[in-house]
Amino acid sequence: MELRLPDSDALQKELCDLFAEMLGIDSVAVDDDFFELGGHSLLAVELVGRVRSKYHIEIKVRAFFYASTVAQLIEVISTLAVKEKE
């Protein structure tokens, strides 16, 4: 399946909105940590699944534990996107 990433501003907004939705809060900033905001491993698995499905990218759940802010997750997604194009 083809990788589908929006431009960086749209991706940032979509991921912030997804984090907030998953955590049941109004908003999330790019540097807010998912786990510090109340996220846990089961929510992380669901969030990663939704990212995989929406953007058609094979991100590992383990990677999310090391990249648990929107800004860090965008870096991981961008790196994976480059690798997939090679």
Side-chain angles (χ1 to χ4, degrees):
M1 209 165 250
E2 185 179 329
L3 178 68
R4 297 181 306 181
L5 290 180
D7 65 64
S8 60
D9 289 339
L11 179 59
Q12 181 177 306
K13 181 178 179 344
E14 288 176 9
L15 290 174
C16 283
D17 290 347
L18 180 59
F19 272 45
E21 178 186 336
M22 297 293 300
L23 294 166
I25 58 179
D26 291 332
S27 64
V28 171
V30 294
D31 292 322
D32 287 341
D33 186 276
F34 181 82
F35 298 105
E36 289 176 6
L37 293 173
H40 51 74
S41 59
L42 293 177
L43 276 179
V45 169
E46 185 177 345
L47 185 139
V48 168
R50 290 179 65 179
V51 168
R52 285 177 181 160
S53 176
K54 182 170 181 122
Y55 302 113
H56 302 258
I57 194 153
E58 262 313 304
I59 184 169
K60 305 251 186 245
V61 174
R62 183 185 321 158
F64 183 71
F65 283 92
Y66 297 101
S68 55
T69 69
V70 168
Q72 293 168 332
L73 186 56
I74 288 172
E75 287 181 34
V76 170
I77 290 171
S78 297
T79 300
L80 290 171
V82 168
K83 287 181 181 179
E84 284 193 17
K85 288 181 181 180
E86 294 177 343

